Amino acid sequence: MSKRHGKHGQGQRPGETDASAPQRDVSHRKKGRKTREQGGKTRARHPGHRPPSSALWARETEGLAPHAEPPPGPALAPAAKSIVTVRPGSRCDLDAIDANTDGGLDKDEAKAALAAERARIVALQERLYAEHKRSLLVVFQAIDTGGKDGTIRAVFEGVNPQGCRVWSFKVPSAEESDHDFLWRYHAKAPARGMINVFNRSHYEDVLVVRVKDLVPEPVWRARYDQINDFERMLSAAGTTVLKFFLHISKDEQKERLEARIANPDKHWKFDPADLVERKAWNAYQAAFADALSECSTPQAPWHVVPANRKWYRNLLIARTIADTLEAMDPRFPEAQADIAGMTVPD
């Protein structure tokens, strides 16, 4: 967590991950259609299996009626296999989670699967934007070189920029510092219909400030509950909060820093301060573990992603985002009456 993580004087409290937390493979779901009553109408839900492309998914759902109103509460889906979801109330042990996991896939297989997941995200994002009733907030946290930038580029490739915003939080401005620590984050929360991505987030205020001792411990400890209240409020307002911690090993960080030094095209990403931050590795791991433990809640659980292998990391995150959007089940708004019979004048 170097200066890019934000040397600001704000933060919140951490926890740990339960490596034994149950993991469910969402790539093999039970097929079938369900119906339910909503707004006086019975509508069919799309099959639960994962289609190979957004085009197929669209064909399967094109005859479905639109939502009258979205269901209350966040729509959550199980994380993809190999991701460890921190169970609310449990302690997170990052040392027990293998950052080098590859799921038995090779790089080519993972890249092909990633393309299919991106297609699902593109199709579902269009529906979310058109529905204009709910939103999705995707939060990324990691230590330096953890892969936040690369993940965002790989996973959201092809998504309509009108419906997606990425916000990177660094050192707060003077104006931001004059407000409560959540002020600048709340201002960037997604509007209805939007997917917003936080590249670093409100969790910096219980990470950097703790490790660098920028605020007293009672201040950053109180922020755990404040963060949980903030995310609970977002959820109640129709925003699904999806949080990913990109978990890499200390050896992997060393290799990535050395690669930046060796490649002139990557020198802009390297700062000598990164080496100073690396000396605080253990302190950051403890702060991350506390934040993951204290702030994994039923409405916004933390997902720990094995991130040494970038291609596998990207697939896991894309699949989980696509499954979450599918669970949200966004619908195109109902067309105006008699539009099918209209003609366009010469």
Side-chain angles (χ1 to χ4, degrees):
M1 307 260 307
S2 71
K3 72 285 160 215
R4 294 191 208 83
H5 281 72
K7 301 173 184 173
H8 49 284
Q10 299 151 345
Q12 247 197 20
R13 183 181 187 177
E16 291 178 44
T17 323
D18 187 352
S20 63
Q23 302 173 23
R24 295 163 60 187
D25 184 355
V26 293
S27 63
H28 302 290
R29 292 184 180 165
K30 192 174 181 180
K31 297 183 179 181
R33 289 186 179 272
K34 299 178 182 179
T35 60
R36 68 180 178 188
E37 292 292 324
Q38 185 173 30
K41 298 180 181 179
T42 301
R43 62 180 180 83
R45 294 181 63 111
H46 56 77
H49 70 283
R50 176 176 298 104
S53 71
S54 59
L56 177 57
W57 187 91
R59 286 199 299 274
E60 291 176 337
T61 60
E62 61 187 4
L64 302 185
H67 284 298
E69 286 296 332
L76 301 175
K81 183 180 180 180
S82 296
I83 289 179
V84 175
T85 299
V86 183
R87 294 181 296 183
S90 71
R91 295 297 299 173
C92 170
D93 182 3
L94 290 174
D95 289 336
I97 300 174
D98 183 6
N100 211 41
T101 300
D102 63 9
L105 297 178
D106 61 34
K107 185 181 292 188
D108 290 339
E109 289 175 319
K111 286 186 174 181
L114 173 62
E117 299 302 340
R118 278 197 302 237
R120 292 176 66 214
I121 293 172
V122 168
L124 288 158
Q125 180 267 335
E126 181 182 14
R127 292 174 177 269
L128 182 71
Y129 185 78
E131 182 188 67
H132 197 70
K133 292 181 182 294
R134 294 165 293 168
S135 59
L136 175 65
L137 174 61
V138 183
V139 173
F140 290 107
Q141 287 289 161
I143 202 162
D144 280 339
T145 76
K148 299 179 296 297
D149 295 349
T151 300
I152 292 168
R153 284 195 306 271
V155 170
F156 291 96
E157 180 181 328
V159 172
N160 187 339
Q162 291 187 103
C164 184
R165 299 285 185 274
V166 179
W167 301 102
S168 297
F169 295 99
K170 300 183 181 180
V171 179
S173 67
E175 181 183 18
E176 290 169 340
S177 296
D178 284 341
H179 289 80
D180 66 272
F181 83 98
L182 287 169
W183 180 79
R184 65 173 180 157
Y185 306 108
H186 199 174
K188 305 303 183 185
R192 291 176 182 173
M194 296 294 295
I195 298 175
N196 280 17
V197 180
F198 281 6
N199 184 347
R200 300 191 190 90
S201 68
H202 40 294
Y203 285 92
E204 290 298 297
D205 290 285
V206 291
L207 297 169
V208 174
V209 300
R210 168 179 170 171
V211 174
K212 292 181 176 292
D213 198 24
L214 298 178
V215 299
E217 180 174 344
V219 173
W220 59 255
R221 281 201 178 276
R223 289 174 177 168
Y224 293 133
D225 289 338
Q226 293 160 3
I227 285 176
N228 290 338
D229 288 341
F230 172 58
E231 292 176 352
R232 188 177 299 110
M233 181 271 298
L234 291 178
S235 176
T239 297
T240 295
V241 181
L242 193 53
K243 302 183 297 190
F244 296 105
F245 174 68
L246 310 184
H247 178 45
I248 64 170
S249 66
K250 190 174 184 180
D251 288 342
E252 179 67 17
Q253 186 194 54
K254 184 176 188 294
E255 290 184 15
R256 294 183 184 185
L257 288 171
E258 289 174 340
R260 291 180 181 181
I261 294 172
N263 184 353
D265 291 338
K266 298 295 184 181
H267 284 179
W268 67 273
K269 298 186 72 175
F270 181 81
D271 189 303
D274 294 337
L275 303 182
V276 177
E277 293 294 297
R278 179 170 163 81
K279 294 178 180 178
W281 173 274
N282 290 337
Y284 275 117
Q285 293 300 297
F288 279 125
D290 282 347
L292 297 173
S293 301
E294 297 291 337
C295 298
S296 193
T297 61
Q299 72 276 0
W302 267 108
H303 302 301
V304 182
V305 183
N308 276 6
R309 301 177 188 268
K310 300 175 184 178
W311 45 270
Y312 191 55
R313 168 203 73 195
N314 295 341
L315 172 60
L316 294 178
I317 291 172
R319 178 164 291 172
T320 303
I321 291 173
D323 286 343
T324 299
L325 284 166
E326 188 171 308
M328 293 174 71
D329 198 16
R331 299 299 180 94
F332 289 123
E334 196 166 0
Q336 297 182 26
D338 302 325
I339 193 171
M342 294 182 180
T343 59
V344 179
D346 295 333

